Amino acid sequence: MVDYVPFPISFSEHVRLSFVQASGDHIPFQDGSFDLVYTNQALEQMDHIKDNVLREIARVTRRAAVFSEPFRDWNASGIRRNRVLASQYFSGALDDLKSYGFVPIFSTDDIPSKVILHTGIVVAEKLVQSELRNS
C-alpha cells in the first residue's frame, strides 16, 4: 500500500492490514470472504462491467452489501434525468439488485449530493440460494 499512498505511512501498528489491488470484475478472494462489501461511487465508474462487478460482490460477500451509488431511481427527473440520459450515465437501478442476489432492506437518497447527479445509499442483504430459486 505504501506505493499508492502519497505521503509517508507506517504499518507497524497495523500488522493485520493488507492491501490488494484488483479489477472489480475479478475480485481475488474466495466465495463468502467478507461479511460486508461497501461501494462508494465505484459502480458508476464501471458501468461497462457493472454486471460482472455485482456478480463478484455477491460472490465474495457472506451477508450484505452497502451501495453508495447514483442509482437511476434517484436521478429520474429534472436536470439529473437529462444528464443521465444524454451521457448514457450509470444504468443501475434498485430493482436490478435482486438479479444479482441482493434484496434492499434499507435505502435513502436523503444525503447531500451533487446538483447534477444524486447519490443515495442502499443496504442490501444477500439472498440465500433457496430464496433466489423461489423468486
Side-chain angles (χ1 to χ4, degrees), residues 3-74:
D3 295 338
Y4 302 98
V5 178
F7 48 83
I9 189 168
S10 169
F11 288 100
S12 60
E13 61 275 1
H14 304 289
V15 293
R16 293 182 54 207
L17 179 69
S18 63
F19 180 77
V20 176
Q21 182 178 4
S23 173
D25 68 347
H26 180 73
I27 302 173
F29 293 96
Q30 295 180 356
D31 297 1
S33 292
F34 303 98
D35 288 330
L36 175 74
V37 174
Y38 175 77
T39 70
N40 184 16
Q41 297 182 324
L43 294 176
E44 67 172 315
Q45 304 300 320
M46 300 183 277
D47 201 37
H48 62 291
I49 59 171
K50 171 182 57 72
D51 295 332
N52 291 342
V53 173
L54 284 166
R55 279 192 285 275
E56 280 292 280
I57 290 170
R59 182 185 66 76
V60 299
T61 190
R62 233 182 336 263
R63 302 200 52 210
V66 175
F67 302 100
S68 177
E69 302 290 343
F71 286 102
R72 286 224 172 161
D73 308 67
W74 298 313

Side-chain angles (χ1 to χ4, degrees), residues 41 44-45 47 69-72 74-91 113-119:
Q41 297 182 324
E44 67 172 315
Q45 304 300 320
D47 201 37
E69 302 290 343
F71 286 102
R72 286 224 172 161
W74 298 313
N75 293 288
S77 63
I79 192 171
R80 293 176 178 143
R81 178 182 181 275
N82 295 341
R83 179 181 187 266
V84 167
L85 293 176
S87 63
Q88 296 296 307
Y89 199 71
F90 188 55
S91 62
S113 293
K114 301 173 189 174
V115 172
I116 59 170
L117 194 64
H118 200 78
T119 299

Side-chain angles (χ1 to χ4, degrees), residues 65 94 97-98 101-106 122-127 131:
L94 294 177
L97 292 176
K98 190 161 188 185
F102 292 105
V103 59
I105 56 175
F106 171 80
V122 179
V123 177
E125 187 173 41
K126 184 175 178 180
L127 296 170
E131 291 174 308

